[in-house]
Amino acid sequence: MKILVCISNVPDTTSKITFTNDNTAFNNAGVQYIVNPYDEIALSKAIDLAEGGKGTVTVISVGDVTTDATIRKALATGADNAIRVNATPRDAWFVANQIANYAKENNFDLILTGRESIDYNGTQVGAFVASILNIPSVSISKKLTIEGNTATVEREIEGGKEVLTLNLPAVIGTAEGVAETKIPNMRGIMTARTKPLDIIEPIEVAQLSHIVKFETPDPRGVVTLVDAEDVEKLVSLLHEKAKVI
């Protein structure tokens, strides 16, 4: 089985988020980048599926040379080889077209993504890739099994669970529960240096969206504690301060 795992290079969750160019661009200064945590789940599942010579795992990421450290970590975790599309990932449509273009030429049986990236939280790339390739896709899967040419996916819906079966090839977005996240060991870190990381140039993609402005959330207000017995004060605060009643 040939498995392609899509990897995003995202800011560490401890990074301070600021913007430049009149709040139209993310400020990379001093930001530490990591493998998108949901993509780590996808990668771990792919490694499990390919274990014992049952398949190969290729990771693909869209980014400039600064993305290489993140890709090398994916190789250290257990991927067999990697592809970097040498371009700035300007939006989900652009990224999906780059991934689909590579996948189309290399006939993968299964394409795994994280449920979303933790920077933009768009949950769009997987569905776009599937649409471009005209193959089925499922987002936010909680459990995934492969039997022959069939994938069985379990995901949560309101009030219960949904179990789906679909024929491969397919695109599946993974979430918590699909696999335990793997951590690179020393042998993996050493071998990652010699695994293939090929750089390919991007294809032309029409720009369908433009960022108008970024804004950070308003700072959280001060918490006011009210004694459980003081209902009159609680009602007064809800009415006069919170203005919700």
Side-chain angles (χ1 to χ4, degrees), residues 58-126:
T58 299
V59 294
I60 185 169
S61 186
V62 180
D64 61 21
V65 67
T66 61
T67 310
D68 285 356
T70 294
I71 297 174
R72 287 292 177 196
K73 183 183 177 185
L75 290 170
T77 302
D80 297 294
N81 65 303
I83 302 297
R84 176 168 64 82
V85 182
N86 190 29
T88 301
R90 65 175 188 236
D91 58 29
W93 178 243
F94 177 82
V95 171
N97 272 274
Q98 306 305 327
I99 294 170
N101 180 62
Y102 178 77
K104 189 183 301 180
E105 296 176 350
N106 290 276
N107 299 318
F108 289 95
D109 301 296
L110 177 64
I111 301 174
L112 296 179
T113 72
R115 59 177 288 176
E116 60 187 349
S117 62
I118 64 169
D119 49 1
Y120 291 100
N121 304 95
T123 320
Q124 295 177 311
V125 170

Side-chain angles (χ1 to χ4, degrees), residues 31-44:
V31 173
Q32 178 73 33
Y33 281 84
I34 60 173
V35 179
N36 179 47
Y38 293 117
D39 298 342
E40 288 186 313
I41 297 172
L43 175 60
S44 299

Side-chain angles (χ1 to χ4, degrees), residues 37-220:
Y38 293 117
D39 298 342
E40 288 186 313
I41 297 172
L43 175 60
S44 299
K45 183 62 181 180
I47 294 168
D48 288 342
L49 291 171
E51 195 171 24
K54 291 183 287 188
T56 59
V57 178
T58 299
V59 294
I60 185 169
S61 186
V62 180
D64 61 21
V65 67
T66 61
T67 310
D68 285 356
T70 294
I71 297 174
R72 287 292 177 196
K73 183 183 177 185
L75 290 170
T77 302
D80 297 294
N81 65 303
I83 302 297
R84 176 168 64 82
V85 182
N86 190 29
T88 301
R90 65 175 188 236
D91 58 29
W93 178 243
F94 177 82
V95 171
N97 272 274
Q98 306 305 327
I99 294 170
N101 180 62
Y102 178 77
K104 189 183 301 180
E105 296 176 350
N106 290 276
N107 299 318
F108 289 95
D109 301 296
L110 177 64
I111 301 174
L112 296 179
T113 72
R115 59 177 288 176
E116 60 187 349
S117 62
I118 64 169
D119 49 1
Y120 291 100
N121 304 95
T123 320
Q124 295 177 311
V125 170
F128 281 154
V129 170
S131 176
I132 296 167
L133 296 175
N134 195 29
I135 59 177
S137 72
V138 177
S139 61
I140 317 181
S141 62
K142 292 285 189 175
K143 186 177 180 182
L144 168 64
T145 56
I146 304 292
E147 189 69 35
N149 195 41
T150 302
T152 301
V153 178
E154 183 176 299
R155 61 184 206 157
E156 294 178 352
I157 59 173
E158 186 173 351
K161 295 180 179 178
E162 180 181 53
V163 179
L164 304 166
T165 59
L166 57 161
N167 293 331
L168 301 181
V171 180
I172 297 174
T174 60
E176 306 91 333
V178 167
E180 289 291 328
T181 301
K182 297 183 185 300
I183 299 173
N185 55 29
M186 184 54 68
R187 183 173 180 274
I189 293 170
M190 297 300 290
T191 57
R193 299 176 183 175
T194 58
K195 289 182 177 178
L197 195 175
D198 295 326
I199 315 298
I200 62 175
E201 293 304 314
I203 60 171
E204 291 290 331
V205 178
Q207 187 162 4
L208 305 181
S209 65
H210 298 268
I211 293 172
V212 177
K213 187 178 183 181
F214 288 109
E215 290 183 355
T216 54
D218 293 331
R220 292 184 178 181

